[in-house]
Amino acid sequence: MSHTGTGKYEALLERCKALSPVPTAVAHPCEASALAGAVEAADLGLIAPILVGPAAKIAETAAPAKIDLKRFEIVDVPHSHASAKRAVELVREGRAELLMKGSLHTDELMGAVVAKEGGLRTGRRISHVFVMDVPTYHKVLVVTDGAINIAPTLEDKVHICQNAIDLVAALGLSPCKVAILAAVETVTSKMPATLDAAALCKMAERGQITGGLLDGPLAFDNAISKQAAETKGIRSPVAGDPDVLLAPDLEAGNILAKQLTFLANADSAGLVLGARVPIILTSRADSVRSRIASCGVAMLVAHARRRPAAPASGKASRG
């Protein structure tokens, strides 16, 4: 889909202009849109790509698009599996601060990322975020997790939530407001998502989740519309103004993000968090704007990670 957007991504990209390009291992850019996405991001000064894949195939892909490969480092490996493995190695060696998916399958890249030997795992659960520019919403909206964690446990949701909060802080948008979604706004044992939502809010109060203002369970209307929340008697600083929508499971998150894309003309940038470095996940169906935004968001996260962390207060922000 081709969307024109509402300027929210452009505001993020404006912040990128003052920053230096981030060394990025691009795994298997052997298809036109995958290679073009990396080159466009390089042209905008967002990333300094290291192209990892069969050199002959990359050259063959570049020729029809008249892409000059001389200015890029190419690491020649025989196939997509080797591309994923070598791209991950470049990160472990400190030569790349970002990982970008080329034309290989997501499962193949993530297999190398989560490998017990030589992967990029940390103490955090790995999770996915859609960073969305929704024309009908007043700011960038993060939807998580709609791509990796199928049926997350409460403990998984703590990591998914913290990953998203840290992302929002890296974008300079803190304090981060998180709406924890369910079908209803009341807590009931018949709907486990509502119990998880209530527990996450209490965990934030106890400092087990930091840097965010959480509320839930909230039905989607109450999360997005302050008026809808007030009609139901919900007093919430999050209602009508969330930065993050935390979905109860992968199916709900995936459906929500795709509804926003195809019914509300939203653009969505995709990023995987919780590994040693942010991972840029783009799809052939993504618009150029979405691909560039994915790189821009990843660049801001990479630069934020270079800064020394502020001392933890032990308490979550309550706004």
Side-chain angles (χ1 to χ4, degrees), residues 284-300:
R284 280 179 293 182
D286 285 344
S287 66
V288 171
R289 192 166 175 272
S290 286
R291 288 203 302 266
I292 294 302
S294 297
C295 294
V297 170
M299 178 200 201
L300 291 170

Side-chain angles (χ1 to χ4, degrees), residues 301-315:
V301 174
H303 276 275
R305 288 163 65 106
R306 291 178 185 176
R307 296 194 294 268
S313 65
K315 286 282 184 185

Side-chain angles (χ1 to χ4, degrees), residues 124-146:
R124 286 270 184 96
R125 182 84 183 174
I126 288 173
S127 62
H128 180 274
V129 292
F130 287 109
V131 183
M132 308 200 74
D133 180 348
V134 187
T136 51
Y137 193 63
H138 59 282
K139 58 181 174 180
V140 166
L141 189 61
V142 174
V143 175
T144 191
D145 176 344

